[in-house]
Amino acid sequence: MNTYRNLLVSVTLLFFSLGLICNISLAQNENEKCTTPPSGKVELKLELPEPFFGGTPIDYYSPNFEPEDYKDRPPYYVPEGTVLISRDKPVTSSVTPTRGQLKQIVDGIKDYGKKHVVELPEGLQWIQIDLEKEYNIYAIVVWHFHEGKRVYHDFIVTVGNDPDFKDGGKQVYNNDYDNSAGMGVGKDKEYVENHKGRLIGIDDGVKGRYVRLYSNGNNANDMNHYIEVEIYGKE
Ligand SMILES: [Ca+2]
Ligand SMILES: [Ca+2]
């Protein structure tokens, strides 16, 4: 009986201490939430580049513009076994880049330095990553260009098994609020680029071999840029 009571006390103390630790860390960083991963999921860990400091405040507005958020991004959970599946995979595009090489989009270098930027000319353009087989995709992280405060327009991400996307694929992001790209009105936000990249979470996963990303210029000029794209998934 004593053993049982001791066990009960220990367990109670353990829960109490865990709560206390959680509360202390909350006090240190109010942005962090004391959350535990959903069953069978783990936090997606990303390697982030150095932030860019400086530049001029942004003078831009659109009906679906997301105010800048300086807080840490909340954790995003993916199924256990989810890994980076895009590194060094083949990349194609709608047009030849005017700066850099397409392979730099999946080389793991995320610094904002101009030698790391891949630039496509003005207009609606796309890049496409071939994962070389079908995966269940749970997250796509995109760094267009985070030197200064830029907002990219008609940012649309679609996933499919047809390299030509004749069926349009399955859209997982679309911030084209006025349907100028002709792929449907998007409900997602326009946002200011930063070193954290844009994390597109796909909670239930989406199946596909090809990931195509569109954009149509940014608030600073008409060009389209990519520093890095990372796709996370599992077979
Ligand atoms: Ca890169
Ligand atoms: Ca538009």
Side-chain angles (χ1 to χ4, degrees), residues 188-206:
D188 296 305
K189 298 292 186 185
E190 288 198 321
Y191 60 91
V192 180
E193 294 282 325
N194 62 36
H195 74 294
K196 290 180 277 187
R198 187 65 165 190
L199 194 162
I200 301 165
I202 307 151
D203 286 344
D204 297 326
V206 59

Side-chain angles (χ1 to χ4, degrees), residues 153-155 174-181 190 216:
H153 309 306
D154 302 347
F155 175 37
N174 182 346
N175 73 10
D176 182 15
Y177 60 90
D178 59 0
N179 196 24
S180 56
E190 288 198 321
N216 189 354

